[in-house]
Amino acid sequence: MRAPVLLATVCLLWPAACTAPPETTPDQLDGQVLQPPAGVGLQPVLIPALSAMSEVVQQNLETRFAELRQGIASDLSSDTLAGIYGDVGALLLAARYFSESTPYFLNAQVLAPSDRRWPYYLGQVYRNVGPLDEAARALERANQMQPNNVATEVWLGEVYLAQ
């Protein structure tokens, strides 16, 4: 279940990455910290080194980072900004940048606390890098939000077994 959702996310974002010209080069983005909007209780996020990624992935992430910078500077709804943070986190998760994706998902969860994707993805991050008790808590929360979701229950079971 997780793979189709992530694949759909990547497929939806693919056209934008292939058609939009990058505003900056990967070297200019590497290590940049994006500050969140003031007063919302969000964490700053780090743009990881993109130069090690394929050109298509770099372009896709550059586009999403530009959207995030614009979203932070404008007056977007919480759900829209959560979606942008979450999409960047999903791309980083897919690229196996687990630790770097964590603050993106945490911010998305703060902005859209009723969206089960963000605790589910956090559970995937913690499942890969730990701590496993955080993975279990995040996946339990996702499961409470959408009971009987097979993918969530399977991964939650895997975490329980690993503990």
Side-chain angles (χ1 to χ4, degrees), residues 29-37 42-48 64-65 68-69 72 81 84-86 88-89 92 99-108 111:
L29 286 175
D30 290 356
Q32 232 182 42
V33 174
L34 296 178
Q35 295 298 325
L42 303 179
Q43 300 180 20
V45 292
L46 176 68
I47 298 177
R64 297 309 286 177
F65 288 130
L68 182 57
R69 277 192 302 278
I72 290 170
L81 191 55
I84 297 170
Y85 272 113
V88 172
L92 293 172
S99 297
E100 292 85 348
S101 69
T102 303
Y104 290 92
F105 293 132
L106 290 170
N107 286 349
L111 291 165

Short mmCIF file of all heavy atoms in Angstrom, two decimals, residues 29-37 42-48 64-65 68-69 72 81 84-86 88-89 92 99-108 111:
data_model
loop_
_atom_site.label_atom_id
_atom_site.label_comp_id
_atom_site.label_asym_id
_atom_site.label_seq_id
_atom_site.Cartn_x
_atom_site.Cartn_y
_atom_site.Cartn_z
N LEU A 29 21.70 25.28 -3.04
CA LEU A 29 20.70 24.83 -2.09
C LEU A 29 21.30 24.01 -0.95
O LEU A 29 20.78 24.02 0.16
CB LEU A 29 19.65 23.96 -2.80
CG LEU A 29 18.65 24.68 -3.68
CD1 LEU A 29 17.77 23.68 -4.40
CD2 LEU A 29 17.80 25.63 -2.89
N ASP A 30 22.36 23.26 -1.23
CA ASP A 30 22.93 22.34 -0.25
C ASP A 30 23.19 23.02 1.08
O ASP A 30 23.86 24.05 1.15
CB ASP A 30 24.24 21.73 -0.77
CG ASP A 30 24.04 20.76 -1.91
OD1 ASP A 30 22.88 20.49 -2.26
OD2 ASP A 30 25.05 20.26 -2.44
N GLY A 31 22.63 22.45 2.13
CA GLY A 31 22.88 22.94 3.48
C GLY A 31 22.09 24.16 3.88
O GLY A 31 22.23 24.65 4.99
N GLN A 32 21.21 24.65 3.00
CA GLN A 32 20.39 25.81 3.34
C GLN A 32 19.34 25.41 4.37
O GLN A 32 18.80 24.31 4.33
CB GLN A 32 19.67 26.28 2.07
CG GLN A 32 19.82 27.71 1.76
CD GLN A 32 19.01 28.09 0.52
OE1 GLN A 32 17.88 27.65 0.35
NE2 GLN A 32 19.60 28.91 -0.32
N VAL A 33 19.07 26.30 5.29
CA VAL A 33 18.02 26.07 6.28
C VAL A 33 16.85 26.98 5.94
O VAL A 33 17.03 28.18 5.75
CB VAL A 33 18.53 26.35 7.71
CG1 VAL A 33 17.40 26.25 8.72
CG2 VAL A 33 19.67 25.41 8.06
N LEU A 34 15.67 26.38 5.85
CA LEU A 34 14.46 27.16 5.60
C LEU A 34 13.76 27.38 6.93
O LEU A 34 13.40 26.43 7.62
CB LEU A 34 13.53 26.43 4.64
CG LEU A 34 14.03 26.20 3.22
CD1 LEU A 34 13.00 25.42 2.41
CD2 LEU A 34 14.36 27.51 2.55
N GLN A 35 13.58 28.63 7.28
CA GLN A 35 12.90 28.97 8.52
C GLN A 35 11.40 28.91 8.30
O GLN A 35 10.90 29.35 7.26
CB GLN A 35 13.32 30.37 8.99
CG GLN A 35 14.78 30.49 9.37
CD GLN A 35 15.15 29.58 10.54
OE1 GLN A 35 14.36 29.35 11.45
NE2 GLN A 35 16.37 29.06 10.52
N PRO A 36 10.65 28.39 9.27
CA PRO A 36 9.19 28.30 9.11
C PRO A 36 8.52 29.64 9.32
O PRO A 36 9.16 30.59 9.81
CB PRO A 36 8.81 27.32 10.22
CG PRO A 36 9.83 27.55 11.28
CD PRO A 36 11.11 27.85 10.54
N PRO A 37 7.24 29.73 8.99
CA PRO A 37 6.51 30.96 9.30
C PRO A 37 6.52 31.20 10.81
O PRO A 37 6.45 30.26 11.59
CB PRO A 37 5.09 30.68 8.81
CG PRO A 37 5.16 29.44 8.00
CD PRO A 37 6.41 28.73 8.34
N LEU A 42 6.45 25.59 14.12
CA LEU A 42 7.11 24.65 13.22
C LEU A 42 8.62 24.68 13.41
O LEU A 42 9.17 25.65 13.93
CB LEU A 42 6.77 24.98 11.76
CG LEU A 42 5.30 25.01 11.40
CD1 LEU A 42 5.12 25.38 9.95
CD2 LEU A 42 4.63 23.69 11.72
N GLN A 43 9.27 23.63 12.94
CA GLN A 43 10.73 23.52 13.01
C GLN A 43 11.37 24.04 11.73
O GLN A 43 10.81 23.87 10.65
CB GLN A 43 11.15 22.06 13.18
CG GLN A 43 10.63 21.39 14.39
CD GLN A 43 11.09 19.94 14.46
OE1 GLN A 43 12.07 19.55 13.83
NE2 GLN A 43 10.39 19.13 15.23
N PRO A 44 12.57 24.61 11.83
CA PRO A 44 13.33 24.90 10.60
C PRO A 44 13.66 23.58 9.92
O PRO A 44 13.77 22.55 10.58
CB PRO A 44 14.60 25.58 11.10
CG PRO A 44 14.37 25.89 12.53
CD PRO A 44 13.28 25.02 13.03
N VAL A 45 13.79 23.61 8.60
CA VAL A 45 14.13 22.39 7.86
C VAL A 45 15.41 22.63 7.07
O VAL A 45 15.66 23.73 6.60
CB VAL A 45 12.98 21.95 6.93
CG1 VAL A 45 11.78 21.47 7.73
CG2 VAL A 45 12.56 23.05 5.98
N LEU A 46 16.17 21.58 6.94
CA LEU A 46 17.44 21.62 6.23
C LEU A 46 17.25 21.08 4.83
O LEU A 46 16.59 20.05 4.64
CB LEU A 46 18.48 20.80 6.98
CG LEU A 46 19.86 20.66 6.33
CD1 LEU A 46 20.57 22.01 6.34
CD2 LEU A 46 20.68 19.62 7.06
N ILE A 47 17.83 21.75 3.86
CA ILE A 47 17.88 21.21 2.51
C ILE A 47 19.16 20.40 2.43
O ILE A 47 20.26 20.94 2.54
CB ILE A 47 17.87 22.33 1.45
CG1 ILE A 47 16.57 23.13 1.55
CG2 ILE A 47 18.05 21.74 0.06
CD1 ILE A 47 16.49 24.30 0.61
N PRO A 48 19.04 19.08 2.26
CA PRO A 48 20.24 18.24 2.23
C PRO A 48 21.02 18.44 0.93
O PRO A 48 20.53 19.07 -0.01
CB PRO A 48 19.68 16.83 2.32
CG PRO A 48 18.32 16.93 1.72
CD PRO A 48 17.82 18.30 2.07
N ARG A 64 10.19 21.64 -5.59
CA ARG A 64 9.42 21.56 -4.35
C ARG A 64 9.98 22.52 -3.29
O ARG A 64 9.22 23.12 -2.55
CB ARG A 64 9.41 20.12 -3.81
CG ARG A 64 8.73 19.12 -4.72
CD ARG A 64 7.37 19.56 -5.18
NE ARG A 64 6.42 19.41 -4.08
CZ ARG A 64 5.16 19.75 -4.12
NH1 ARG A 64 4.65 20.28 -5.21
NH2 ARG A 64 4.39 19.60 -3.08
N PHE A 65 11.31 22.67 -3.23
CA PHE A 65 11.88 23.63 -2.29
C PHE A 65 11.47 25.05 -2.65
O PHE A 65 11.20 25.87 -1.77
CB PHE A 65 13.41 23.51 -2.22
CG PHE A 65 13.89 22.27 -1.53
CD1 PHE A 65 14.84 21.47 -2.12
CD2 PHE A 65 13.40 21.90 -0.28
CE1 PHE A 65 15.28 20.31 -1.49
CE2 PHE A 65 13.83 20.76 0.37
CZ PHE A 65 14.78 19.96 -0.25
N LEU A 68 8.05 25.48 -1.45
CA LEU A 68 8.05 25.60 0.00
C LEU A 68 8.47 27.00 0.43
O LEU A 68 7.82 27.62 1.28
CB LEU A 68 8.95 24.54 0.64
CG LEU A 68 9.00 24.52 2.16
CD1 LEU A 68 7.62 24.34 2.77
CD2 LEU A 68 9.94 23.42 2.63
N ARG A 69 9.54 27.53 -0.18
CA ARG A 69 9.97 28.89 0.14
C ARG A 69 8.84 29.89 -0.15
O ARG A 69 8.56 30.77 0.65
CB ARG A 69 11.22 29.26 -0.66
CG ARG A 69 12.51 28.77 -0.07
CD ARG A 69 13.72 29.40 -0.72
NE ARG A 69 13.80 29.18 -2.15
CZ ARG A 69 14.27 28.09 -2.74
NH1 ARG A 69 14.72 27.11 -2.01
NH2 ARG A 69 14.31 27.99 -4.04
N ILE A 72 6.03 29.45 2.45
CA ILE A 72 6.38 30.02 3.75
C ILE A 72 6.21 31.54 3.71
O ILE A 72 5.75 32.14 4.66
CB ILE A 72 7.82 29.61 4.15
CG1 ILE A 72 7.86 28.12 4.48
CG2 ILE A 72 8.32 30.45 5.31
CD1 ILE A 72 9.26 27.55 4.65
N LEU A 81 0.10 24.21 3.01
CA LEU A 81 1.50 24.23 3.45
C LEU A 81 1.90 22.87 4.00
O LEU A 81 3.02 22.40 3.74
CB LEU A 81 1.72 25.33 4.48
CG LEU A 81 3.16 25.66 4.84
CD1 LEU A 81 3.98 26.01 3.60
CD2 LEU A 81 3.21 26.80 5.84
N ILE A 84 2.80 20.65 1.12
CA ILE A 84 4.11 20.94 0.54
C ILE A 84 5.22 20.37 1.42
O ILE A 84 6.13 19.69 0.94
CB ILE A 84 4.30 22.45 0.30
CG1 ILE A 84 3.28 22.96 -0.71
CG2 ILE A 84 5.72 22.74 -0.19
CD1 ILE A 84 3.24 24.48 -0.84
N TYR A 85 5.14 20.62 2.73
CA TYR A 85 6.12 20.04 3.64
C TYR A 85 6.12 18.51 3.51
O TYR A 85 7.18 17.88 3.43
CB TYR A 85 5.82 20.42 5.10
CG TYR A 85 6.43 21.70 5.59
CD1 TYR A 85 5.63 22.79 5.91
CD2 TYR A 85 7.80 21.82 5.78
CE1 TYR A 85 6.18 23.98 6.39
CE2 TYR A 85 8.36 23.00 6.26
CZ TYR A 85 7.54 24.07 6.56
OH TYR A 85 8.11 25.23 7.04
N GLY A 86 4.94 17.92 3.51
CA GLY A 86 4.84 16.47 3.43
C GLY A 86 5.36 15.91 2.12
O GLY A 86 5.99 14.85 2.09
N VAL A 88 7.73 17.19 0.21
CA VAL A 88 9.20 17.23 0.26
C VAL A 88 9.69 16.08 1.13
O VAL A 88 10.63 15.36 0.77
CB VAL A 88 9.72 18.58 0.79
CG1 VAL A 88 11.22 18.53 1.01
CG2 VAL A 88 9.37 19.70 -0.19
N GLY A 89 9.05 15.88 2.29
CA GLY A 89 9.44 14.78 3.16
C GLY A 89 9.32 13.44 2.47
O GLY A 89 10.19 12.57 2.60
N LEU A 92 12.19 12.97 0.08
CA LEU A 92 13.41 12.67 0.82
C LEU A 92 13.36 11.25 1.38
O LEU A 92 14.38 10.54 1.37
CB LEU A 92 13.64 13.69 1.93
CG LEU A 92 13.96 15.11 1.47
CD1 LEU A 92 13.96 16.07 2.64
CD2 LEU A 92 15.29 15.15 0.73
N SER A 99 16.62 10.85 8.09
CA SER A 99 16.72 11.88 9.13
C SER A 99 16.34 13.26 8.60
O SER A 99 15.71 14.05 9.31
CB SER A 99 18.13 11.92 9.70
OG SER A 99 18.41 10.68 10.32
N GLU A 100 16.72 13.54 7.36
CA GLU A 100 16.41 14.84 6.78
C GLU A 100 14.92 15.02 6.55
O GLU A 100 14.41 16.14 6.57
CB GLU A 100 17.16 15.02 5.46
CG GLU A 100 18.67 15.14 5.60
CD GLU A 100 19.39 13.78 5.65
OE1 GLU A 100 18.72 12.74 5.80
OE2 GLU A 100 20.62 13.78 5.55
N SER A 101 14.20 13.92 6.34
CA SER A 101 12.76 14.01 6.07
C SER A 101 11.95 14.24 7.34
O SER A 101 10.83 14.76 7.27
CB SER A 101 12.27 12.75 5.37
OG SER A 101 12.30 11.63 6.23
N THR A 102 12.50 13.90 8.50
CA THR A 102 11.74 13.95 9.76
C THR A 102 11.12 15.32 10.04
O THR A 102 9.91 15.40 10.30
CB THR A 102 12.62 13.49 10.93
OG1 THR A 102 13.11 12.19 10.66
CG2 THR A 102 11.86 13.50 12.23
N PRO A 103 11.87 16.44 10.02
CA PRO A 103 11.23 17.71 10.35
C PRO A 103 10.16 18.13 9.34
O PRO A 103 9.21 18.84 9.71
CB PRO A 103 12.38 18.72 10.40
CG PRO A 103 13.51 18.07 9.70
CD PRO A 103 13.31 16.60 9.80
N TYR A 104 10.27 17.68 8.11
CA TYR A 104 9.23 17.99 7.12
C TYR A 104 7.92 17.33 7.52
O TYR A 104 6.86 17.95 7.46
CB TYR A 104 9.67 17.54 5.72
CG TYR A 104 10.80 18.35 5.15
CD1 TYR A 104 12.13 17.96 5.33
CD2 TYR A 104 10.54 19.52 4.44
CE1 TYR A 104 13.16 18.72 4.82
CE2 TYR A 104 11.57 20.28 3.92
CZ TYR A 104 12.89 19.88 4.12
OH TYR A 104 13.91 20.64 3.61
N PHE A 105 7.99 16.04 7.93
CA PHE A 105 6.78 15.34 8.35
C PHE A 105 6.25 15.89 9.67
O PHE A 105 5.04 15.97 9.86
CB PHE A 105 7.04 13.83 8.47
CG PHE A 105 7.31 13.16 7.15
CD1 PHE A 105 8.39 12.32 7.01
CD2 PHE A 105 6.49 13.37 6.06
CE1 PHE A 105 8.64 11.68 5.80
CE2 PHE A 105 6.73 12.75 4.84
CZ PHE A 105 7.81 11.90 4.72
N LEU A 106 7.14 16.24 10.59
CA LEU A 106 6.69 16.82 11.85
C LEU A 106 5.94 18.13 11.61
O LEU A 106 4.89 18.39 12.22
CB LEU A 106 7.87 17.04 12.80
CG LEU A 106 8.50 15.77 13.37
CD1 LEU A 106 9.80 16.09 14.10
CD2 LEU A 106 7.53 15.04 14.29
N ASN A 107 6.47 18.96 10.71
CA ASN A 107 5.79 20.22 10.38
C ASN A 107 4.45 19.96 9.71
O ASN A 107 3.45 20.61 10.02
CB ASN A 107 6.67 21.09 9.49
CG ASN A 107 7.81 21.72 10.25
OD1 ASN A 107 7.87 21.69 11.48
ND2 ASN A 107 8.75 22.30 9.52
N ALA A 108 4.42 19.00 8.79
CA ALA A 108 3.16 18.67 8.12
C ALA A 108 2.13 18.20 9.14
O ALA A 108 0.95 18.56 9.07
CB ALA A 108 3.40 17.60 7.06
N LEU A 111 0.70 21.15 11.07
CA LEU A 111 -0.20 21.95 10.24
C LEU A 111 -1.50 21.23 9.88
O LEU A 111 -2.54 21.87 9.71
CB LEU A 111 0.52 22.37 8.95
CG LEU A 111 1.65 23.38 9.13
CD1 LEU A 111 2.51 23.45 7.88
CD2 LEU A 111 1.09 24.75 9.49
#
